[in-house]
Amino acid sequence: MRMKELCEATGMPRTAIHHYQREGLLPPAEKTATNAAVYGPEHVGRLELIRALRGDELGPFGLDRVRAIVEMVDGGVAPEVAAALLSLPGAYRPAGGADSGADRGLSLSEVARDAGISLSTCRELLRAGLLVASDGEGKPSFDGADVGAAKLVAGLLGEGDIRVTDLEPVAELVAETVRYERALMELSTARLDPATASSRRRAMYRSLLALHTYLFVRTISEPDEAG
């Protein structure tokens, strides 16, 4: 599609799209002439993500954090997870660019190094389910989301007498919730054709993730509000 069609597909003006191009937030376009280029679905998806990050859907975030989230997304991290991690104080920032590979395929020792904690603590987090490895070519692999989570847990461990074993039930409860919700998704889409079922499951995933956030915010009070 041409720029005019990209503007129509995303609802963004040409000036905004050019701005994000200059900032390096969009994939390279296919040049067809000196002053002409062709864009594809990947550009529409990226612009929709940027709009969500700049607005209230996932943000609002400034350009620096949008860039960091985009790098994490390019490394395989779900947008919602990246946005949540980078919205917190002291959040992890990928060291390299989106194409550098710095945020992909990290080892557990690299997670420990980047999070500023010991390897033995990282191993405890993995055993407790507080870190969740992805399968990278037959061996556990980690990314920036795992570094961010390790830093968050390290901060919790530094508060009072909290230990990894104290947080283990949190991971167990989340895992149980995930098992139930996966079963719910499968049950609700069992009679649909594969394409429709896949689309429905993705929509349910987004809705359930938003519901988690709502319930936590509404049921957990800030310490000074708890009385």
Side-chain angles (χ1 to χ4, degrees):
M1 69 182 75
R2 303 291 183 181
M3 175 59 75
K4 180 180 179 181
E5 295 168 312
L6 183 62
C7 292
E8 292 173 351
T10 61
M12 284 192 180
R14 182 187 301 260
T15 53
I17 295 174
H18 282 317
H19 174 62
Y20 293 133
Q21 283 179 315
R22 289 192 299 272
E23 291 291 333
L25 295 173
L26 298 183
E30 180 184 348
K31 287 285 187 180
T32 57
T34 304
N35 296 315
V38 174
Y39 303 89
E42 67 275 16
H43 295 93
V44 175
R46 176 54 55 82
L47 288 168
E48 289 177 345
L49 172 60
I50 291 171
R51 181 168 55 195
L53 293 170
R54 296 285 276 168
D56 293 332
E57 186 177 347
L58 290 174
F61 293 105
L63 279 180
D64 286 344
R65 290 202 175 188
V66 168
R67 183 176 291 102
I69 291 170
V70 165
E71 290 176 9
M72 293 183 74
V73 170
D74 284 345
V77 181
E80 296 86 353
V81 173
L85 287 172
L86 291 180
S87 67
L88 296 168
Y92 172 75
R93 297 292 188 277
D99 298 324
S100 70
D103 196 33
R104 309 177 196 179
L106 299 175
S107 67
L108 191 61
S109 61
E110 289 172 322
V111 172
R113 178 202 65 200
D114 292 349
I117 60 177
S118 68
L119 179 57
S120 61
T121 299
C122 255
R123 287 178 177 147
E124 279 192 81
L125 299 184
L126 187 62
R127 179 198 56 77
L130 295 164
L131 282 182
V132 182
S134 57
D135 187 12
E137 298 181 356
K139 62 180 180 179
S141 179
F142 303 89
D143 56 31
D146 302 302
V147 176
K151 289 187 70 173
L152 293 179
V153 175
L156 289 171
L157 297 178
E159 299 293 333
D161 296 322
I162 295 178
R163 298 167 296 179
V164 172
T165 52
D166 296 324
L167 297 173
E168 192 168 348
V170 175
E172 292 173 352
L173 288 169
V174 170
E176 184 61 31
T177 300
V178 169
R179 284 192 290 270
Y180 170 76
E181 290 179 349
R182 282 178 177 167
L184 182 63
M185 289 182 192
E186 293 301 322
L187 181 64
S188 67
T189 60
R191 297 183 180 181
L192 302 177
D193 64 86
T196 304
S198 178
S199 177
R200 177 73 62 81
R201 283 192 292 269
R202 288 195 299 271
M204 288 184 68
Y205 165 78
R206 291 191 295 270
S207 296
L208 287 168
L209 194 63
L211 180 61
H212 296 167
T213 302
Y214 164 78
L215 290 172
F216 274 105
V217 169
R218 286 301 179 93
T219 56
I220 299 180
S221 301
E222 291 283 348
D224 59 355
E225 296 177 354

